[in-house]
Amino acid sequence: QVQLVESGGGLVQPGGSLRLSCGASDSLDYYGIGWFRQAPGKEREGISCINTFDDSTYYAVSVKGRFTISGDNAKNTVYLQLDSLKPEDTGTYFCAARDLRIPRGKYCSGYVPLVDYEYWGQGTQVTVSA
């Protein structure tokens, strides 16, 4: 059982930055990590992912060029750097871990899967407002 805890959310002005963390209770060496967000009244959106087997990454069009995903294996943590934030980036941000040892096709290959994750965090709120 791996527990995921997101942190780093908050209130920021448009154009500002935040760094979200997805901390795990155990090693993430065998897990792909996805970042998602959900705004009130909207469906959950997969915004970024990282495949720890080959370090491949993917970004949704809505965040590409502004958000950066990275991992620190020593700290069992995956980060999502949010830059040039816009009001439409407001929402609850979640991370999730998919066990890559279970054969389900290559993870994080051109999109962020919305299902088949073993673990989810509780979310952290990001509010972008003047």
Side-chain angles (χ1 to χ4, degrees), residues 22-29 70-79:
C22 175
S25 59
D26 202 347
S27 171
L28 293 176
D29 287 351
S70 63
D72 186 335
N73 290 344
K75 295 183 178 180
N76 297 336
T77 299
V78 172
Y79 302 100

Side-chain angles (χ1 to χ4, degrees), residues 58-81:
Y58 172 82
Y59 300 93
V61 171
S62 58
V63 305
K64 192 171 185 178
R66 301 187 298 120
F67 292 6
T68 305
I69 192 170
S70 63
D72 186 335
N73 290 344
K75 295 183 178 180
N76 297 336
T77 299
V78 172
Y79 302 100
L80 188 67
Q81 178 69 37

Side-chain angles (χ1 to χ4, degrees), residues 1-4 23-28 31 97 118-120:
Q1 188 83 4
V2 177
Q3 293 182 330
L4 301 177
S25 59
D26 202 347
S27 171
L28 293 176
Y31 291 89
E118 276 62 52
Y119 307 107
W120 286 86

